[in-house]
Amino acid sequence: MKNIAVPFLIFVTQTGVVQAQQTGAKPAWKTVTVYTTADKTDYRLSKTNTLTLTPFGQPLETQPCVFIDATRKFQTITGIGGAITDATAETFAKLPAESQSELINAYYSAGKGIGYSLVRTNMNSCDFSSDTYTYVAENDVALKTFSIAHDEKYRIPMIKKAIATAGGKIPLYISPWSPPAWMKDNNNMLQGGKLKESYKQSWASYFVKYIKAYEAKGIPVWGLTVQNEPMAKQRWESCIFTAEEERDFIKKYLGPALQQQGLGSKKLIAWDHNRDLLYQRATTILNDPAAAKYVWGIGYHWYETWTGSAMQFENLKRVHETFPNTNLIFTEGCVEKFDLNRINEWSIGERYGFSMVNDFNSGTVAWTDWNILLDENGGPNHVGNFCFAPVHADTKTGKLIYTNAYYYLGHFSKFVKAGAKRIGTASSRDKLITTAFINPDGRLIVVVLNLSNDAVEYNLWLQGNAAAVNSLPHSITTLVIE
């Protein structure tokens, strides 16, 4: 443990996570290292200052402050990362070796990059695939033809490189967009439809087959979601589950199948859709003990804004206070409607920063971006649903293009380690929004977001000591306190 005073004891929990336990006296947090990304500057995750906390006492109302209370600990962070889809892996395969190495290090290296610690991937095809496919032959109810040969060409090799670069271990979870067409009442993997009753057991077994096939390839699977966006009839792969239908599929089929096949420890995530219907879905599933016993968490996306609504963080808080022992996990978000002319828009990264600060403050334990890499067209995508990623590849030149979303994500993922706990924090000015964490090594990580057009001078205040910080307009800063 670095720079922590003697009155802290180190112990190892049953899960092996090293934590600090206070024994009565205050720790000697003194040094603050400031990292900044700001509009109209060259700062991109740049080290911009080193400060010292000095005695300050009671702030006045005229002295803007960001307050930190490290004695108040909340949820434990599982990880922060993004999705490796077919589109990501296919784009990656088109790059020269040098750019491939750059991309993998940029995301998964703790030293050279932003240290991603979580991966999502698609089971069967999704919109960000070049075509529609499954892993079994038509009408193979017994799944005797099941094979993941499709994934072995692009996706599995890339995932393996990510795991190796991340240190040999990274939580990966899987999400289906649709069962095979013959299992559905519309006989189509696209355009919604529902899973037929007669195939529910076979579809539950499909998850088991997929997980075991990936693990046989040396890729451990940490968790799974039941269905991507189960209330959306899309022109791409989709499948509708009402809350009651998802509840019953979990308790009658998927949960028991995982248990019976020795996969009961996998983290089962329900919903995997927007924040707007989050509370209704969570209460319907989790109020049923027979379903709830299988559920590790509730997943959510940020696309409720399509209705004209703002992001509905209050719904996260309602679920968190109602079911404090169930984990909240952000499973997908991206900026839609790709346009290469918008690649440098500052609002792209700010959407990430705004969501992440509020999601973590609402109880979220893990945060997953959508595609980590797309091409210069915002694809490939077999239905033309082109979107932004934090990094795009110009497949003609082999060069990588970094949007500011990459840096905004990095202000969290590079510094907030798996096993960190969120701690108390508050701002005395509405132009600054903030969240904070204590890492397993005892360092404090404070993220401050300024969405305004104004620079804001404030005091970073901790246990009666403070350091003066300048928040630039349209900036995000991470302050590491040791």
Side-chain angles (χ1 to χ4, degrees), residues 412-428:
F412 295 86
S413 63
K414 186 173 180 65
F415 302 100
V416 181
K417 304 301 183 183
K421 287 184 178 293
R422 184 172 66 86
I423 58 174
T425 184
S427 169
S428 68

Side-chain angles (χ1 to χ4, degrees), residues 23-230:
T23 59
K26 296 177 180 178
W29 286 300
K30 288 291 184 186
T31 303
V32 182
T33 307
V34 184
Y35 298 87
T36 305
T37 295
D39 192 17
K40 295 182 174 60
T41 73
D42 293 329
Y43 297 151
R44 299 294 183 269
L45 265 175
S46 305
K47 182 178 176 180
T48 52
N49 216 336
T50 302
L51 308 170
T52 302
L53 294 169
T54 57
F56 192 89
Q58 173 63 51
L60 302 175
E61 292 173 289
T62 55
Q63 296 173 307
C65 288
V66 168
F67 300 107
I68 309 301
D69 181 0
T71 68
R72 298 297 174 181
K73 298 180 179 67
F74 304 99
Q75 77 271 21
T76 302
I77 304 304
T78 298
I80 299 168
I84 296 178
T85 60
D86 290 314
T88 292
E90 289 167 23
T91 301
F92 182 77
K94 294 176 182 177
L95 294 174
E98 182 180 324
S99 294
Q100 288 187 349
S101 179
E102 177 188 336
L103 188 281
I104 289 291
N105 281 318
Y107 274 114
Y108 297 101
S109 170
K112 298 176 183 177
I114 59 174
Y116 264 13
S117 54
L118 190 63
V119 177
R120 183 190 190 210
T121 199
N122 51 290
M123 181 176 78
N124 287 342
S125 59
C126 65
D127 50 331
F128 280 92
S129 301
S130 290
D131 56 358
T132 297
Y133 67 87
T134 71
Y135 304 108
V136 294
E138 187 86 3
N139 299 317
D140 178 12
V141 179
L143 310 181
K144 292 180 180 178
T145 59
F146 191 94
S147 168
I148 59 168
H150 174 281
D151 295 8
E152 291 181 52
K153 187 173 182 181
Y154 298 118
R155 197 144 38 103
I156 286 175
M158 185 178 182
I159 290 171
K160 285 186 173 181
K161 287 181 179 180
I163 292 171
T165 306
K169 185 178 180 183
I170 192 169
L172 175 141
Y173 67 100
I174 63 170
S175 298
W177 270 243
S178 175
W182 52 268
M183 289 189 183
K184 298 171 65 182
D185 61 7
N186 67 343
N187 199 37
N188 188 352
M189 288 184 70
L190 318 184
Q191 299 291 340
K194 291 192 175 187
L195 177 64
K196 290 181 179 179
E197 187 68 34
S198 57
Y199 293 125
K200 287 183 177 177
Q201 187 61 60
S202 185
W203 182 231
S205 298
Y206 201 101
F207 284 84
V208 170
K209 289 269 192 182
Y210 188 76
I211 291 169
K212 289 189 173 183
Y214 258 61
E215 296 195 333
K217 296 293 181 182
I219 300 175
V221 174
W222 168 82
L224 64 156
T225 73
V226 180
Q227 169 64 44
N228 178 75
E229 298 186 349

Side-chain angles (χ1 to χ4, degrees), residues 13 18 66 137 242 293 322 324 420 435:
T13 66
V18 179
V66 168
T242 66
K293 68 181 181 180
T322 307
T435 189

Side-chain angles (χ1 to χ4, degrees), residues 283-297:
T283 54
T284 301
I285 293 172
L286 298 176
N287 282 337
D288 184 334
K293 68 181 181 180
Y294 295 114
V295 176
W296 174 86

